[in-house]
Short mmCIF file of all heavy atoms in Angstrom, two decimals:
data_model
loop_
_atom_site.label_atom_id
_atom_site.label_comp_id
_atom_site.label_asym_id
_atom_site.label_seq_id
_atom_site.Cartn_x
_atom_site.Cartn_y
_atom_site.Cartn_z
N ASN A 798 79.43 79.12 63.41
CA ASN A 798 80.45 78.41 64.16
C ASN A 798 81.40 79.43 64.79
O ASN A 798 82.14 80.10 64.08
CB ASN A 798 81.21 77.47 63.21
CG ASN A 798 82.28 76.67 63.92
OD1 ASN A 798 82.72 77.01 65.00
ND2 ASN A 798 82.70 75.60 63.27
N PRO A 799 81.43 79.57 66.14
CA PRO A 799 82.29 80.57 66.77
C PRO A 799 83.77 80.36 66.49
O PRO A 799 84.51 81.31 66.35
CB PRO A 799 82.00 80.44 68.26
CG PRO A 799 80.97 79.41 68.43
CD PRO A 799 80.65 78.82 67.10
N GLN A 800 84.23 79.11 66.38
CA GLN A 800 85.63 78.86 66.09
C GLN A 800 85.99 79.36 64.70
O GLN A 800 87.04 79.94 64.49
CB GLN A 800 85.95 77.38 66.23
CG GLN A 800 85.88 76.91 67.67
CD GLN A 800 86.13 75.44 67.81
OE1 GLN A 800 85.87 74.66 66.90
NE2 GLN A 800 86.63 75.04 68.97
N GLU A 801 85.11 79.15 63.74
CA GLU A 801 85.37 79.63 62.39
C GLU A 801 85.40 81.15 62.37
O GLU A 801 86.22 81.76 61.69
CB GLU A 801 84.31 79.10 61.42
CG GLU A 801 84.63 79.41 59.98
CD GLU A 801 83.64 78.76 59.03
OE1 GLU A 801 82.96 77.79 59.43
OE2 GLU A 801 83.56 79.24 57.90
N PHE A 802 84.54 81.78 63.16
CA PHE A 802 84.53 83.24 63.24
C PHE A 802 85.86 83.76 63.76
O PHE A 802 86.43 84.70 63.24
CB PHE A 802 83.39 83.71 64.14
CG PHE A 802 83.37 85.19 64.37
CD1 PHE A 802 83.20 86.08 63.32
CD2 PHE A 802 83.54 85.70 65.64
CE1 PHE A 802 83.19 87.44 63.53
CE2 PHE A 802 83.53 87.06 65.87
CZ PHE A 802 83.36 87.94 64.82
N LEU A 803 86.42 83.10 64.79
CA LEU A 803 87.71 83.53 65.32
C LEU A 803 88.80 83.42 64.27
O LEU A 803 89.62 84.30 64.14
CB LEU A 803 88.07 82.71 66.57
CG LEU A 803 87.23 82.97 67.80
CD1 LEU A 803 87.59 81.98 68.89
CD2 LEU A 803 87.40 84.39 68.28
N VAL A 804 88.80 82.36 63.52
CA VAL A 804 89.79 82.19 62.47
C VAL A 804 89.62 83.28 61.41
O VAL A 804 90.60 83.88 60.97
CB VAL A 804 89.68 80.78 61.84
CG1 VAL A 804 90.55 80.68 60.61
CG2 VAL A 804 90.07 79.73 62.87
N LEU A 805 88.39 83.57 61.03
CA LEU A 805 88.15 84.63 60.06
C LEU A 805 88.66 85.97 60.57
O LEU A 805 89.32 86.70 59.86
CB LEU A 805 86.65 84.73 59.73
CG LEU A 805 86.05 83.57 58.94
CD1 LEU A 805 84.54 83.73 58.88
CD2 LEU A 805 86.65 83.50 57.56
N ARG A 806 88.35 86.29 61.81
CA ARG A 806 88.79 87.57 62.36
C ARG A 806 90.32 87.64 62.45
O ARG A 806 90.90 88.65 62.15
CB ARG A 806 88.17 87.80 63.72
CG ARG A 806 86.71 88.15 63.61
CD ARG A 806 86.21 88.81 64.83
NE ARG A 806 87.10 89.84 65.26
CZ ARG A 806 86.75 91.08 65.49
NH1 ARG A 806 85.53 91.46 65.28
NH2 ARG A 806 87.61 91.95 65.94
N GLN A 807 90.96 86.56 62.84
CA GLN A 807 92.41 86.58 62.94
C GLN A 807 93.06 86.78 61.59
O GLN A 807 94.10 87.42 61.49
CB GLN A 807 92.92 85.28 63.56
CG GLN A 807 92.63 85.17 65.04
CD GLN A 807 93.05 83.83 65.60
OE1 GLN A 807 93.33 82.89 64.86
NE2 GLN A 807 93.08 83.74 66.91
N SER A 808 92.45 86.26 60.54
CA SER A 808 93.04 86.41 59.22
C SER A 808 92.85 87.83 58.67
O SER A 808 93.56 88.23 57.78
CB SER A 808 92.46 85.38 58.26
OG SER A 808 91.09 85.66 58.02
#
Side-chain angles (χ1 to χ4, degrees):
N798 181 341
Q800 291 177 332
E801 188 174 340
F802 175 62
L803 290 173
V804 171
L805 290 172
R806 287 199 46 126
Q807 287 176 347
S808 67

